[in-house]
Amino acid sequence: MAAFKAAVARASEPDFPKLPNATRENMTQVYGLFKQSRGDCNKPKPGMMDPVGRAKWDAWDSLKGMSQAEAMAAYVTIIAKIDPQGFGQAHGPAAAAEQAA
């Protein structure tokens, strides 16, 4: 849970969307995983005139059935992938393996 909170904090920083790995695909995945960490999609699909809203909705709805814990873990992983030099070194898979050892 602490790693998830740290990932949310990192993703909220102004420079985060400007990182080289912060592609549209990755950022849409970040959005979907964050929303799924709160629960399954329960909102109606936005209309055709809202392509950004539809992309976000699709990202969230595609994760229906994923547990909140799985979504949190996947969120931490994608944030570490987007920011491997900063967040990834402190909270990524290698850091988790070190802490477990």
Side-chain angles (χ1 to χ4, degrees), residues 73 76-81 84 87-100:
V76 170
T77 300
I78 190 79
I79 298 301
K81 176 182 170 186
F87 184 83
Q89 287 183 343
H91 300 282
E98 277 183 32
Q99 290 174 357

Side-chain angles (χ1 to χ4, degrees), residues 7-53:
V8 170
R10 178 62 184 113
S12 299
E13 292 176 13
D15 70 319
F16 188 76
K18 298 173 185 154
L19 293 171
N21 292 335
T23 63
R24 184 175 299 171
E25 180 181 321
N26 283 343
M27 295 304 286
T28 304
Q29 190 176 6
V30 165
Y31 176 85
L33 288 167
F34 177 79
K35 294 295 279 186
Q36 188 63 25
S37 74
R38 304 296 189 243
D40 281 340
C41 182
N42 58 0
K43 305 286 184 199
K45 188 171 188 172
M48 293 295 292
M49 300 306 287
D50 183 7
V52 173

